Amino acid sequence: MPSGPIGIFGGTFDPIHYGHLRLAQEILEHAKLAEVRFVPSGTPPHRGRPGADPHHRVEMVRLATADNASFTVDDRETQRGGPGYTYDTLTELRQQIGRQRSMALLLGADAFLDFATWHRWRELLDLAHIIVAYRPGYPIDTWQARMPGALAHEYAARYMQQPLAVHLAPSGGIAAVSMTGLDISATFVRSAVHDGSSPRYLLPDAVLAYIEAHRLYH
Ligand code: ATP
Ligand code: MG
């Protein structure tokens, strides 16, 4: 059992695509994480376009991550049903891994800008670190100005220049890393499938084959 920092990567993954996979791979390497655990969320309350059922989203994440020994899938949120809170998930995980082991929540820049609206967001930082990856559309020079005040305050107070600093404490810091900019969204993949154009090369072939086999997003 590895005891290095564990990365927790939540998302709808509707479907998972190369933007998600590169984020996980690049943060894994920058922060020398022992593992990235993908946690597909339960069904979100509002969704513009019909998405895939939770069991399909989990299966697609399994297919996409199967050949990477550092990637694992945790389906506790979809098993629980309903939208669910990251706070509950991290609390449970913290109980399982103990107080000492470092844990980091991985977020894209857009998700981080919303972070201060999350349930018990400040307490989340007692449970884990945060590592943010810049996402196209959220350039480094302007994104700090886009943070709401309370979040900007926490960011400044907890900022770690080095993502490797997640090795020094179990939780509480915020690091930001750049990653290969991939302007891919699940929304775009869903619309492409719906419109009959191919999303090939934006996501793994195995995931696309699964989408076709189950007629998802049509
Ligand atoms: P949707 O279009 O349905 O919102 P999405 O592509 O944004 O889907 P999510 O499941 O909403 O994917 O995102 C999960 C996490 O992955 C979030 O933290 C988000 O910021 C991050 N993420 C998604 N796509 C990218 C990308 N192309 N580059 C970097 N981060 C990304
Ligand atoms: Mg999104």
Side-chain angles (χ1 to χ4, degrees):
M1 192 59 191
S3 58
I6 175 171
I8 306 298
F9 188 25
T12 327
F13 302 121
D14 191 20
I16 189 167
H17 54 67
Y18 283 131
H20 299 128
L21 291 161
R22 277 309 299 181
L23 178 147
Q25 180 63 26
E26 293 194 25
I27 295 181
L28 177 85
E29 290 174 18
H30 284 310
K32 296 199 192 308
L33 304 178
E35 169 192 339
V36 174
R37 194 179 291 206
F38 289 68
V39 188
S41 58
T43 302
H46 313 290
R47 193 150 43 184
R49 196 180 264 283
D53 285 347
H55 75 278
H56 285 312
R57 294 188 284 104
V58 170
E59 195 49 38
M60 290 188 282
V61 174
R62 289 216 166 94
L63 288 167
T65 56
D67 60 356
N68 188 325
S70 303
F71 289 175
T72 56
V73 185
D74 186 324
D75 68 355
R76 75 183 68 215
E77 291 193 1
T78 60
Q79 291 296 338
R80 207 158 46 209
Y85 290 118
T86 302
Y87 177 81
D88 296 333
T89 300
L90 291 189
T91 301
E92 255 180 51
L93 282 165
R94 181 48 81 197
Q95 279 162 3
Q96 287 167 0
I97 68 176
R99 277 193 308 185
Q100 303 298 323
R101 187 167 178 191
S102 177
M103 178 160 77
L105 187 64
L106 315 188
L107 293 174
D110 59 313
F112 183 72
L113 289 179
D114 276 346
F115 185 68
T117 67
W118 291 22
H119 180 60
R120 303 176 80 162
W121 66 277
R122 282 176 212 272
E123 290 158 88
L124 277 171
L125 282 157
D126 298 330
L127 293 164
H129 300 287
I130 289 183
I131 307 177
V132 188
Y134 299 116
R135 185 176 182 176
Y138 300 84
I140 296 176
D141 45 335
T142 60
W143 87 296
Q144 223 170 319
R146 288 159 76 172
M147 283 178 212
L151 186 62
H153 178 81
E154 290 296 331
Y155 181 75
R158 297 171 176 275
Y159 182 71
M160 307 184 292
Q161 191 148 16
Q162 280 295 335
L164 283 172
V166 299
H167 289 255
L168 304 177
S171 60
I174 303 178
V177 300
S178 53
M179 62 171 275
T180 306
L182 293 170
D183 196 359
I184 304 172
S185 69
T187 302
F188 182 84
V189 173
R190 293 194 299 275
S191 329
V193 175
H194 179 78
D195 298 344
S197 70
S198 176
R200 201 172 171 196
Y201 309 124
L202 298 177
L203 71 177
D205 286 344
V207 175
L208 185 53
Y210 187 94
I211 289 171
E212 294 304 330
H214 296 269
R215 305 266 321 149
L216 304 179
Y217 311 122
H218 286 72

